[in-house]
Structures are given as C-alpha cells and as structure tokens.
Amino acid sequence: MAQNKEDRGSGRLVHLRIRRQDGRDQPDTRRWEEFKVPYLPQMNVNSALEQIRKSPVTADGKTVAPVVWEAACLEEVCGSCTMIINGRVQQACSALVDRLAPKGEVITIEPMSKFPLERDLIVDRSRMFESLKRVRAWIDIDGTHELGAGPRESQEHQEERYPLSRCMTCGCCLEACPQFNDSSPFIGAAALNQVRLFNLHPSGALHKTARLESVMGEGGVADCGKAQNCVEVCPKEIPLTTSLPDMMRATTKYALASIFRK
Ligand code: SF4
Ligand code: SF4
Ligand code: FES
C-alpha cells in the first residue's frame, strides 16, 4: 500500500484496543481500553504505543495512566517487545500498522498469556532464562585462556549452527506451544534448540552429555507433542522442525548407549 507524507497531515488515526492490568496481583483491574493516535508513515505497533505514552487519553477522552510495555533494540533482535497483536504472537517493533490495519481496522493488542503478567503488556519471561540455565546454554571458557585457540569449526558446522543461533528468547514458540503452560514443566522448543546449537560447537561438545541429560528428565524433550506450532510462529525462522527430532534422536541414542555401558 502506498503511504506518503500526505498521510502525516491527513488526520488519519490508528485505532488500538489494548488489554490492560495494573499489576501482577490485580486481576480485578483487567480491562480493555481503546486509543486513537495519529498515523505516521511506516508506523509500527511500538511507535503507536509511544504515541499513547506521549498523550495517554482514551478514544472516549479519558486521561489514563500510560500503557507500559518493554522494548529495547527496536529491530527484532532482543525479543522484549513480544506481545499478541491481532491474535498472533509477534514483536511490536516489526508489526507494521499498514499490514495490520490497511483500511484503518482496529488493532488488538494483548500481553502473552503463557507467562506471568507484570503489568499491561509486560510479562515475566524468567522461566525461559531458567530453562537456558538448565540446559547449560553457553560454552565454558573459564581457565582456557592460556590454552591458545580453540578447535577449528568446519564451514559445514558453521552453516548448520548459524540459523540455530538466531534465537532471541522472545517466547513466541512457547506462547504457541500446547505443551507449555503453568501446570507443565516442559521447557519448550527454544531451550531444546539451544542444546542442539551448543552440542554442535567443538568446545560446547565437551558438555554434550550434561546437556543431553538435562533434557531427558521431567519437562524435557519427551514432553514435546510434535504439533509444530512453534515453527509456525518463530520470527527468526529457526528450523525447530529439525532441532526437536534431532534432540529426540540424540537423547534416545544416549539412553541406549547408557544401557550398554552398564
Ligand atoms: S512441536 Fe509442538 S509440542 Fe513440541 S515444542 Fe513445538 S509447539 Fe511445542
Ligand atoms: S526459537 Fe524462535 S520463537 Fe522461540 S524464543 Fe527463539 S526466536 Fe523466539
Ligand atoms: S524491541 Fe527488540 S525485538 Fe522489538
């Protein structure tokens, strides 16, 4: 759709319907509020929320507390602005208003539902970071500085690992996963993908078995229902459809080998 500088002065408004809640323990304050903000060319949902922050007045003229949300990189790298926009989990900084509401339709914005709500559009994604700790999603380098350069990594491995490394811990895959919820310990696709990523690295492979063991227990890879919703929503197009079966094969192989080792 052609947008130009005439839009800026055209009086065109962007209509937003936002789910709000004042605090983590205040479900009684849960409500919808509507806002109309001036359209700007190339506007995304993040910039629309910034307009509300400048002038937090609802569509029916009531002054309210500014809507709060998280954002840092503004270029779909940090994952912090993830929310549900028009029913689909995605990043506010890359959700273009022209694509969401080409004819001025209402844009509906809600916080992710699978993580504890902090306030308005902010959720607590700590569970994801705890899962990264559980699977040891790093390469230990302490004490290795005197040992010189690490092992060389083949071009083939680099090409396999790069797409896996693009994860920004945004939470989209967990929001969409039927197996991930309050009452399930499942760690989800993002952490399982990290096991594959770090086990492919020549130095990371030194802790390969610890990582495999970390996803063989409760909440591990066996809890994946293989519905593949995660792949559909991953904004970084990480090949989770290959990472999950790869982890299943690796853990099965390791478990069988353990039997023979006894
Ligand atoms: S394949 Fe399905 S069950 Fe497994 S992590 Fe992805 S969405 Fe969840
Ligand atoms: S795997 Fe994709 S959807 Fe899941 S946290 Fe990483 S970037 Fe987000
Ligand atoms: S602000 Fe970082 S992904 Fe949107």
Side-chain angles (χ1 to χ4, degrees):
M1 163 163 306
Q3 300 296 345
N4 52 48
K5 60 186 174 191
E6 282 123 48
D7 287 311
R8 189 188 291 269
S10 66
R12 179 178 164 189
L13 295 173
V14 178
H15 191 166
L16 305 152
R17 185 166 181 261
I18 303 179
R19 171 69 82 185
R20 305 202 59 182
Q21 183 170 316
D22 295 345
R24 188 186 267 237
D25 302 318
Q26 300 179 57
D28 49 315
T29 62
R30 198 169 135 92
R31 63 197 181 277
W32 289 101
E33 280 178 1
E34 298 196 20
F35 298 86
K36 289 185 176 171
V37 300
Y39 173 85
L40 298 169
Q42 312 306 329
M43 189 177 210
N44 57 38
V45 167
N46 188 76
S47 39
L49 291 170
E50 280 170 0
Q51 297 287 323
I52 296 175
R53 182 162 54 195
K54 281 187 210 156
S55 175
V57 179
T58 61
D60 56 4
K62 197 168 133 202
T63 300
V64 294
V67 176
V68 298
W69 80 104
E70 276 188 304
C73 69
L74 303 184
E75 52 184 1
E76 207 185 75
V77 170
C78 73
S80 64
C81 68
T82 306
M83 53 189 75
I84 300 175
I85 302 168
N86 282 356
R88 182 179 170 91
V89 67
Q90 56 191 300
Q91 282 66 52
C93 66
S94 52
L96 294 174
V97 165
D98 288 338
R99 183 169 46 81
L100 293 162
K103 295 181 183 151
E105 298 92 330
V106 179
I107 299 173
T108 305
I109 307 175
E110 301 165 82
M112 282 196 282
S113 65
K114 299 283 185 81
F115 299 93
L117 182 74
E118 290 292 351
R119 183 175 165 186
D120 290 343
L121 302 170
I122 299 181
V123 297
D124 177 0
R125 289 178 295 141
S126 304
R127 184 170 163 188
M128 288 194 82
F129 299 102
E130 290 305 317
S131 296
L132 294 181
K133 286 193 226 165
R134 166 173 163 173
V135 304
R136 223 182 156 98
W138 62 82
I139 291 171
D140 297 74
I141 55 165
D142 286 352
T144 61
H145 302 89
E146 305 303 319
L147 301 178
R152 287 184 71 84
E153 190 172 7
S154 70
Q155 183 70 25
E156 187 193 359
H157 265 180
Q158 287 176 41
E159 284 169 15
E160 188 178 359
R161 278 178 15 89
Y162 176 67
L164 311 178
S165 73
R166 293 191 307 230
C167 179
M168 55 180 175
T169 329
C170 64
C172 290
C173 55
L174 301 178
E175 178 69 23
C177 176
Q179 304 296 106
F180 182 85
N181 53 56
D182 272 355
S183 51
S184 150
F186 183 42
I187 59 172
L192 291 167
N193 176 67
Q194 294 291 308
V195 175
R196 182 181 175 207
L197 171 69
F198 285 99
N199 279 3
L200 278 170
H201 189 279
S203 301
L206 294 172
H207 295 97
K208 189 172 182 168
T209 53
R211 284 194 202 92
L212 290 178
E213 282 169 5
S214 77
V215 297
M216 288 170 72
E218 189 186 37
V221 66
D223 288 8
C224 170
K226 307 180 188 67
Q228 299 189 4
N229 297 7
C230 47
V231 183
E232 298 294 322
V233 296
C234 177
K236 294 298 179 187
E237 297 179 352
I238 294 173
L240 300 169
T241 30
T242 51
S243 286
L244 295 166
D246 188 89
M247 280 301 98
M248 285 175 198
R249 275 192 302 275
T251 49
T252 305
K253 202 167 147 192
Y254 177 70
L256 287 172
S258 305
I259 294 170
F260 291 116
R261 274 197 298 271
K262 281 178 187 165

